[in-house]
Amino acid sequence: MPAVVRSFRADNPGRFTLDGTRSHVVGERRAAVIDPGPVLESHLGVLAEAVGDARDIVVLVTHAHADHAAGAEELARLTGAVVRGPGSGHDLRDGEAIATDGGDLFAVWTPGHARRHFCFHLPDEGAVFTGDLILGEGDTTWVGEYPGGVADYLASLDRVDALDARVLYPGHGDPLLDPADAIARFRNHRLARIDQVRHALAETGSADLDLLTERVYGELPSEVHDMAASGVGAILDYLASAG
């Protein structure tokens, strides 16, 4: 029997993409491709071949960041697929079902890493495709895109936790076979980071972003400083909102 879920890794390794973006294919004749990744001819060609026997194809994007979604339109051109999800012009509704012959996928609204972010739940397999909400390595993802993102992120973790999945398929890294442990790890890291910023704020008496970022992270390479600072800024917003 063919595998319900097939996974393919794009050759775009990096500091924020780990060993590359994972694209997932659900179904055979009626198929969904989740996060086609960047515009890489070799990767998109592999994905097009993977759904070459399908008569009905949808390309789903968890969020509009380029390492997940930039290749969507080209894959649609190659396969005749429809693109759905943030940034596609054909957005999804929370709870919307997307039919495949591997089971219905349900869009789960999970903002935090991005203002518009979906996970996809495949109840028949006990699987959740997490995009960048949860990664396959470590205990953190970037949460600094917009005010309110930290509260959204914690609520999104709780929402995925409530699905009682048996496996998580992240957008970067290997599948996670103990979802409850992985979700707790990412939640605890975020709560610990909130405490670090709270303590740094109390110690310095200053809301200067560069000063607080240095207190929390120490010296950082220039290529990651701005992202770390935006994360600290998002936590300051969270603390202010929480009183």
Side-chain angles (χ1 to χ4, degrees):
M1 180 178 178
V4 171
V5 178
R6 293 169 288 160
S7 299
F8 304 87
R9 179 173 56 83
D11 186 19
N12 64 326
R15 184 186 293 272
F16 303 112
T17 57
L18 304 181
D19 61 351
T21 300
R22 294 300 206 282
S23 301
H24 305 287
V25 176
V26 179
E28 292 281 339
R29 298 287 289 167
R30 191 173 194 183
V33 181
I34 300 171
D35 281 351
V39 182
L40 286 176
E41 183 179 348
S42 57
H43 183 62
L44 297 177
V46 168
L47 294 177
E49 183 177 353
V51 295
D53 292 331
R55 66 178 186 276
D56 187 6
I57 306 166
V58 60
V59 174
L60 301 173
V61 294
T62 57
H63 61 298
H65 294 170
D67 58 316
H68 291 256
E73 291 300 330
E74 177 61 14
L75 184 59
R77 187 189 68 78
L78 291 171
T79 62
V82 174
V83 183
R84 300 288 311 279
S88 69
H90 301 281
D91 213 343
L92 294 158
R93 300 185 308 278
D94 183 34
E96 182 175 351
I98 300 96
T100 81
D101 57 14
D104 284 351
L105 283 162
F106 292 87
V108 183
W109 174 237
T110 51
H113 171 74
R115 188 184 292 272
R116 298 199 59 77
H117 188 290
F118 285 92
C119 292
F120 295 99
H121 184 206
L122 184 62
D124 290 355
E125 297 294 316
V128 178
F129 302 87
T130 63
D132 275 354
L133 183 78
I134 296 170
L135 306 183
E137 296 179 17
D139 56 10
T140 188
T141 188
W142 179 57
V143 181
E145 184 177 271
Y146 64 99
V150 173
D152 283 352
Y153 181 75
L154 292 170
S156 292
L157 288 178
D158 289 345
R159 189 165 191 204
V160 171
D161 201 8
L163 297 175
D164 291 326
R166 297 190 296 273
V167 58
L168 304 179
Y169 290 99
H172 305 283
D174 293 332
L176 295 161
L177 303 181
D178 189 342
D181 176 75
I183 293 166
R185 190 166 69 247
F186 276 72
R187 181 190 296 113
N188 290 339
H189 174 90
R190 191 61 45 185
L191 294 174
R193 191 67 83 200
I194 291 168
D195 279 343
Q196 283 183 291
V197 174
R198 182 187 289 115
H199 292 152
L201 189 61
E203 289 171 357
T204 64
S206 169
D208 180 82
L209 202 53
D210 286 334
L211 174 61
L212 292 174
T213 301
E214 184 177 355
R215 280 297 185 103
V216 171
Y217 289 97
E219 290 190 18
L220 290 170
S222 57
E223 63 267 24
V224 298
H225 176 273
D226 288 350
M227 292 191 75
S230 67
V232 171
I235 291 173
L236 289 175
D237 171 79
Y238 174 83
L239 293 173
S241 297

